[in-house]
Amino acid sequence: MTWTPSSQRYEQATFRRCGRSGLDLPPISLGLWHNFGGEDVFETGRATIRRAFDRGVTHFDLANNYGPPPGSAEENFGRIVELDFQSHRDEMIISSKAGWDMWPGPYGNGGSRKYLLASLDQSLMRMKLDYVDIFYSHRPTPDVPLEETMGALIHMHRQGKALYIGISSYGPKRTREAARILQEAGVPLLIHQPSYSMLNRWIETELLDTLDELGTGCIAFSPLAQGLLTGKYLNGVPEASRAAAGGSFSRDMLSEENLNHIRALNDIARSRGQSLAQMAIAWVLRDARVTSALVGARNTKQLDDSLDALKNLTFDAEELHTIDRYAREGNIDLWRGLSD
């Protein structure tokens, strides 16, 4: 049976301009880091992507190594686009990235021209696309000349395989250097994707000012602090949670100090008539320099809860002051060493 997206998908949808570019992004974008790989239920992921599109989400964010296994999220997404979205491709912003481990040997990670260009071609093949809208350098690699990494991004942009160029987890100084190299080649730095949440506020020190100065947009990943700000850990560690599974989530993040702060933030969210996750997303979007918040979703119910954050994005001064008492650095930033 052919699926048809909702004819009302844009009636309530809002968008934000990405820096000083001509591109608008939805305030909440869907990331496929988890829950869309080969080990997940395909139809659940498919239903989630359909629901996102029906609710005005036009931006879908991937990377070459998303899964597990690596590459399978792009393969599944490609199947979903082929099945459901072929006639809607021009309504979608599809992004991918490369920088982390993808295949064995010296050419399967990092920021070399060899790795980045091969990664993009493989991503396009997996997703059955002619181009991506945004391609990112997924991480800074200090052992590779920045000119080489940016040169590879410039090349794919000129090929028409990446309409826009972005970077992720770069610190302010390296961001300025990357933007300069790109600009000299006539390629703007469209967007930066840093980690940012109420428990991880590093971008407020200098990076947001840098992006504003450069005219570069900002899309915040992990606004829910890898699930810490969903409320699921208020009463222990659920069996199906990422903390229980290990991997990118360390139980060290569940310190008593963090849990006390999360419980206090949860009380504030309840007083606003929101879930903790909704308030956390709204808080990230309180700054106009943040173009979009990048969220994951295990299913349509979880997605709907996140998207309902858009029903209340305003904070008064007293609320922000109270939140600042508990929105403290929680030593949860797995990428801090990259951006320093």
Side-chain angles (χ1 to χ4, degrees), residues 61-311:
D61 181 79
L62 299 103
N64 60 349
N65 64 340
Y66 286 178
S72 60
E74 289 185 330
E75 289 175 353
N76 283 341
F77 183 74
R79 285 181 61 197
I80 293 166
V81 170
E82 186 175 44
L83 290 169
D84 298 325
F85 292 96
Q86 285 195 63
S87 60
H88 302 282
R89 172 64 180 94
D90 291 336
E91 296 180 58
M92 306 172 78
I93 300 297
I94 300 171
S95 61
S96 192
K97 322 176 198 69
W100 294 102
D101 290 352
M102 184 58 192
W103 61 82
Y107 317 120
N109 68 81
S112 71
R113 179 182 178 87
K114 167 75 172 175
Y115 174 57
L116 293 179
L117 294 179
S119 288
L120 173 58
D121 284 342
Q122 290 184 19
S123 291
L124 293 175
M125 190 177 304
R126 282 190 289 268
M127 292 188 284
K128 301 178 184 178
L129 299 175
D130 295 324
Y131 68 94
V132 292
D133 297 278
I134 306 169
F135 192 84
Y136 293 86
S137 167
H138 205 168
R139 67 179 178 100
T141 48
D143 60 332
V144 175
L146 188 59
E147 290 79 6
E148 178 174 346
T149 300
M150 294 302 110
L153 300 179
I154 292 165
H155 182 75
M156 61 181 68
H157 181 270
R158 288 176 174 167
Q159 286 181 309
K161 294 181 180 180
L163 302 189
Y164 297 95
I165 295 303
I167 58 177
S168 179
S169 297
Y170 281 51
K173 180 180 178 181
R174 202 167 182 85
T175 295
R176 286 191 292 270
E177 293 172 351
R180 176 187 59 78
I181 295 168
L182 291 169
Q183 192 61 49
E184 287 176 354
V187 178
L189 177 59
L190 173 81
I191 194 166
H192 188 300
Q193 187 175 131
S195 60
Y196 181 47
S197 72
M198 290 193 289
L199 299 179
N200 173 24
R201 301 180 63 167
W202 72 277
I203 70 172
E204 296 173 6
T205 303
E206 186 180 353
L207 183 62
L208 281 175
D209 286 339
T210 297
L211 299 179
D212 191 41
E213 175 188 332
L214 295 172
T216 296
C218 176
I219 179 167
F221 78 87
S222 202
L224 303 181
Q226 297 204 69
L228 280 174
L229 294 171
T230 62
K232 71 173 66 174
Y233 299 111
L234 295 176
N235 300 302
V237 180
E239 288 186 9
S241 66
R242 284 161 65 183
S248 64
F249 192 109
S250 169
R251 286 189 181 234
D252 293 341
M253 298 178 186
L254 296 170
S255 67
E256 194 57 37
E257 182 179 21
N258 279 349
L259 290 174
N260 286 336
H261 289 165
I262 292 166
R263 292 184 185 110
L265 291 168
N266 186 57
D267 290 340
I268 299 169
R270 290 175 62 186
S271 71
R272 286 170 50 84
Q274 290 182 306
S275 68
L276 177 57
Q278 289 165 356
M279 186 180 77
I281 293 168
W283 181 87
V284 163
L285 293 171
R286 79 198 185 286
D287 192 315
R289 294 172 296 182
V290 177
T291 312
S292 186
L294 185 60
V295 305
R298 188 181 298 275
N299 49 44
T300 56
K301 180 180 178 181
Q302 199 174 79
L303 173 71
D304 282 337
D305 183 72
S306 292
L307 292 178
D308 284 347
L310 299 177
K311 295 178 179 179

